[in-house]
Amino acid sequence: MDYTSNDYLKNMFNLSNKNIIVIGSGSGIGRSASLAIAAHGGNLICADIQNIESTIKAVKEINSEVNVIPFEIDITNKSEIIKLMDEYDVIDGVVCTPSINVRKLLIDYTESEFDKVISLNLKATFNVLQASVKKMKLNNKGSIIAFSSIRGSVVEPGQSVYAASKAGTEKLVNTLAAEMAQYNIRVNTISPGPVMTPLTDQLRNDKLWNEAYTTKPALQRWAQPNELAGGIIYLLSDASSYVTATNLIIDAGWINVDGRFNPNI
Ligand SMILES: NC(=O)c1ccc[n+]([C@@H]2O[C@H](COP(=O)([O-])OP(=O)(O)OC[C@H]3O[C@@H](n4cnc5c(N)ncnc54)[C@H](O)[C@@H]3O)[C@@H](O)[C@H]2O)c1
């Protein structure tokens, strides 16, 4: 790739001829990512434990030209991840979204709740990261996106284990980015603010929680999952050729704007 050329500038967001795996494509941000990748010309595997068919249908509607493969997977099972990575000879991008949250005080957390959150959010993500780079290393290229959260940086009561899993994911990603730079593999996280997906139904069903989450971002609203897709396309494409070990915050100002008070000035 000649980064000084006009071709680079013209095609930097183009994903055609790239093979991309989206894990978590059945819902929320992963579903939007799948549609956006297809819209930008990428071939993709839509992987999830459930709901893949409706995503595949929507992908074909947005771009009937791209090659899209459904893949049912439980990423808490390492051998299934390895099978997934064998679907393509060359993998250009991997997006991994699955996570859960059990929102309760740390003092009340059971060991099995702790294990459930950590085994998906941190351990399965670790296994996806490891299997992805083993494959990408063979071709000296690739871009991987794992998901952190504003909770990887700032917390409220009830977020302990989820927050720890997200901060942990950021550190896995930063270290892997350092280890894989020599193979031209870029590894980054995205940290969303509040997004309207099934993961956050509990918050929107609670009047006060919903109000707090609507007014805290500087833009004063929840995100639609499609609003995360721009960051995903950016990190997968050549537009981010100089970006690795970064945490891309897409939070409408949640983390950096205090938001408690608007002085009358
Ligand atoms: N929604 C938000 O407000 C928000 C905020 C901050 C961070 N995030 C992060 O963004 C990411 C995506 O969140 P979302 O809101 O799109 O979630 P979501 O619940 O809408 O989608 C998650 C998808 O992962 C799949 N999945 C769950 N367990 C799986 C398993 N074992 N194997 C394979 N697939 C599995 C689910 O079936 C689902 O389709 C998560 O990592 C989440 O922590 C979301």
Side-chain angles (χ1 to χ4, degrees), residues 10-258:
K10 282 196 241 171
N11 300 317
M12 57 167 62
F13 290 105
N14 188 354
L15 296 180
S16 54
N17 301 319
K18 291 196 192 276
N19 295 331
I20 296 161
I21 297 175
V22 182
I23 306 171
S25 65
S27 170
I29 296 168
R31 181 184 158 94
S32 286
S34 303
L35 271 57
I37 290 162
H40 288 261
N43 297 317
L44 75 161
I45 296 176
C46 291
D48 203 294
I49 202 167
Q50 61 182 355
N51 296 334
I52 307 166
E53 287 313 320
S54 99
T55 302
I56 298 274
K57 191 166 170 275
V59 163
K60 285 183 177 156
E61 277 166 21
I62 206 162
N63 188 349
S64 58
E65 305 286 299
V66 296
N67 187 351
V68 53
I69 302 168
F71 195 99
E72 198 176 306
I73 187 172
D74 176 355
I75 58 164
T76 60
N77 183 334
K78 188 176 173 181
S79 64
E80 293 185 26
I81 297 173
I82 291 161
K83 270 192 218 142
L84 170 63
M85 296 301 160
D86 282 340
E87 281 287 307
Y88 282 140
D89 291 336
V90 178
I91 302 173
D92 296 286
V94 172
V95 181
C96 180
T97 74
S99 277
I100 46 166
N101 196 352
V102 177
R103 300 172 181 97
K104 61 199 292 194
L105 299 183
L106 188 150
I107 200 170
D108 296 326
Y109 238 85
T110 65
E111 205 171 325
S112 75
E113 287 164 342
F114 178 93
D115 287 344
K116 196 172 132 193
V117 173
I118 292 299
S119 71
L120 180 64
N121 299 14
L122 194 59
K123 188 174 170 189
T125 300
F126 168 84
N127 282 326
V128 168
L129 291 169
Q130 189 184 62
S132 303
V133 296
K134 278 187 179 167
K135 195 72 195 272
M136 288 172 168
K137 216 176 141 207
L138 304 174
N139 295 293
N140 272 299
K141 62 172 179 174
S143 170
I144 305 171
I145 305 172
F147 271 76
S148 182
S149 163
I150 52 172
R151 298 300 171 214
S153 304
V154 290
V155 300
E156 69 185 10
Q159 298 286 352
S160 59
V161 181
Y162 179 81
S165 75
K166 294 304 182 181
T169 297
E170 289 182 28
K171 295 306 165 211
L172 291 178
V173 159
N174 290 348
T175 310
L176 190 63
E179 292 170 357
M180 289 296 128
Q182 62 184 310
Y183 303 107
N184 193 31
I185 299 170
R186 300 183 293 103
V187 197
N188 296 288
T189 49
I190 291 180
S191 284
V195 188
M196 288 197 185
T197 73
L199 182 69
T200 48
D201 279 347
Q202 181 190 7
L203 317 185
R204 279 187 309 284
N205 290 337
D206 179 302
K207 189 171 174 292
L208 291 178
W209 222 338
N210 184 39
E211 251 171 49
Y213 275 55
T214 305
T215 51
K216 167 68 177 135
L219 293 179
Q220 301 273 297
R221 63 179 178 84
W222 287 72
Q224 290 298 329
N226 283 352
E227 295 183 273
L228 276 292
I232 293 166
I233 299 300
Y234 167 66
L235 288 176
L236 287 173
S237 68
D238 293 338
S240 61
S241 51
Y242 201 60
V243 180
T244 196
T246 277
N247 178 37
L248 177 59
I249 300 168
I250 306 180
D251 72 345
W254 182 298
I255 289 175
N256 288 323
V257 178
D258 186 319

